[in-house]
């Protein structure tokens, strides 16, 4: 499969360092506020990349940090009269909560900067010993960009041109304006740790690099983040790794395009943002995913609520199709005879699988992957209307399963769409009366009722068991005892 390496500006064959395994790292958020949907796009892109690699059979180890010490966190804490640790804790939890709502898989390793100070200090000391870093009287330690001949290679920048073209921070203590802080001397009231260079805290670029080395070992297979991180963050990360351990930080660098609003990058500082939370409060996570995955991860993505409404309709088409296929398959007699239409649907399923994989193998082309899925939706709907009366159970179920599986690879969880809506809400009242259930979820209510019925039967309390069954039947459902336990299903007309 081909992946685009932003260091070489080319697609290349993915060649894992260890056969069958992929070690990947994606820079995590600075936890001082709710993340916006631009940040979420980057995390979503890598979630899908990771899921697809797993689908292809790779054993993926995924690490993502939380930047829980930073100027922004300290400023927010000062504004609110709280400690930086309190702010970081609150927004780390909120970040994780929103990632779960969005269906993003947890990383295997989630290091937090404030708990990795030792690893960072070791790396800084190594850089000083190697002649690539220098402490200054104020207590800061800087990386010397001039000491690294490869500096600028990742982002394709030349230091002399940079100096001529950009205004850079003036600082008497730096030997070069592009030198960056590995360690920052503590100012009064800031979180700090003791170090050989005085009380202070790590610089942002230092964090990721030391954590990658500690948890994944360098080089890793894939390092990712938003395109805005290429320079200086990733350039600085790779410079440190090369100078500390004489090995590149990553084999492949992957960067996501920016989510934009009215053709302008969405960012906190411009104020043109929507938080992931407010969007997920109003729209299903699956629809937001569909919207984002309709654009290739490297291209800029223009966000609008009109487009999101469009994605809601697409999601509806998709989940209705899966439900209709399942109902039709259940209602169909199993005659085992294949008609022309059955064979055509079988061929469409194979074609959708092939198109999906071919697209995703080509640098994770999710737009192509979704097109394969929706192509199968169209063919399935055609089959359902044209083959009505002679539906073939196996091929119909296979179409539904294929849609669910391919969507699952994209993190579009169709079970969320049907959760609850096939079960009547009255189950909740029935479960409250008969099973002491106190929640509001019909699926949980069904579970509670089935458990209560089971208990009653065990206790030979047939009266209660039958009353539960009758209550369920009055809602148009039947209790079906299967090998895997009892479950509810709708009565067939
Ligand atoms: P930050 O917390 O600012 O470091 O951002 C977390 C992640 O979100 C980084 O990988 C950024 O590159 C990414 N990011 C920030 N803004 C956007 C945007 N508008 N679109 C896509 N990714 C973004
Ligand atoms: Zn990073």
């Amino acid at each position: 499969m081909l992946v685009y390496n932003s260091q070489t500006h080319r697609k290349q064959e993915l060649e894992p360092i260890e056969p069958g395994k992929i070690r990947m790292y994606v820079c995590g958020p600075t936890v001082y506020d709710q993340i916006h949907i631009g940040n979420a796009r980057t995390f979503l892109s890598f979630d899908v990349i990771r899921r697809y690699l797993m689908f292809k059979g790779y054993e993926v180890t995924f690490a993502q940090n939380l930047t829980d010490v930073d100027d922004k966190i300290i400023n927010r804490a000062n504004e609110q009269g709280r400690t930086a640790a309190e702010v970081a804790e609150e927004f780390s939890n909120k970040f994780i909560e929103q990632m779960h709502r969005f269906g993003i898989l947890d990383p295997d390793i989630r290091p937090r900067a404030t708990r990795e100070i030792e690893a960072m200090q070791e790396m800084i000391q190594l850089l000083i010993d190697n002649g690539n870093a220098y402490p200054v009287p104020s207590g800061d330690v800087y990386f010397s960009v001039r000491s690294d001949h490869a500096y600028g290679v990742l982002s394709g920048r030349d230091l002399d041109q940079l100096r001529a073209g950009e205004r850079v921070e003036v600082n008497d203590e730096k030997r070069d304006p592009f030198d960056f802080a590995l360690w920052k001397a503590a100012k009064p009231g800031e979180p700090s740790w003791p170090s050989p260079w005085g009380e202070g805290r790590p610089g942002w670029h230092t964090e990721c690099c030391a954590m990658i080395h500690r948890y994944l070992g360098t080089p890793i297979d894939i390092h990712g983040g938003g395109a805005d991180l290429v320079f200086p963050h990733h350039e600085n990360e790779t410079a440190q790794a090369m100078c500390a351990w004489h090995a590149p930080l990553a084999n492949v660098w992957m960067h996501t395009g920016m989510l934009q609003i009215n053709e302008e990058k969405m960012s906190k500082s411009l104020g043109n943002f929507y938080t992931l939370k407010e969007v997920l409060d109003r729209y299903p996570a699956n629809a937001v995913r569909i919207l984002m995955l309709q654009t290739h991860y490297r291209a800029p993505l223009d966000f609008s609520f009109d487009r999101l409404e469009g994605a809601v309709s697409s999601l509806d088409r998709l989940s209705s199709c899966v439900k209709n296929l399942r109902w039709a398959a259940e209602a169909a007699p199993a005659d085992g005879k294949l008609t022309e239409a059955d064979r055509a649907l079988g061929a469409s399923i194979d074609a959708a699988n092939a198109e999906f994989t071919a697209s995703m193998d080509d640098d994770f082309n999710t737009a192509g992957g979704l097109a394969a899925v929706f192509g199968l939706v169209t063919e399935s709907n055609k089959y359902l209307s044209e083959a009505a009366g002679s539906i073939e159970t196996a091929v119909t179920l296979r179409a539904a399963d294929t849609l669910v599986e391919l969507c699952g690879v994209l993190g579009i969880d169709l079970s969320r769409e049907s959760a609850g809506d096939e079960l009547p809400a009255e189950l909740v009242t029935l479960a409250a009366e008969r099973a002491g259930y106190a929640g509001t979820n019909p699926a949980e209510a069904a579970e509670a009722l089935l458990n209560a019925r089971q208990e009653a039967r065990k206790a030979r309390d047939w009266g209660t068991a039958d009353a539960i069954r009758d209550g369920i039947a009055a809602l148009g459902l039947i209790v079906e005892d299967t090998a895997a336990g009892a479950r509810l299903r709708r009565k067939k007309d």
Side-chain angles (χ1 to χ4, degrees), residues 25-28 65 204-205 208-209 212 223-224 229 233-234 237:
Y25 182 92
V26 172
C27 298
N65 67 311
W204 174 39
H205 314 302
C208 293
C209 188
I212 291 171
H223 191 319
L229 297 189
H233 184 53
H234 288 164
E237 280 188 26

Side-chain angles (χ1 to χ4, degrees), residues 23 37 39 42-43 131 133 136 215 271 274 299 316 318 330 364 369 383 395-396 422 432 444-445 463 475:
R23 286 173 294 134
I37 53 174
N39 306 129
T42 290
F43 301 137
V136 297
Y215 288 103
Y274 297 103
D316 193 42
L318 181 57
E330 250 178 72
F364 307 97
Y383 174 79
V395 75
T396 308
E422 285 164 6
E444 283 172 12
L475 299 176

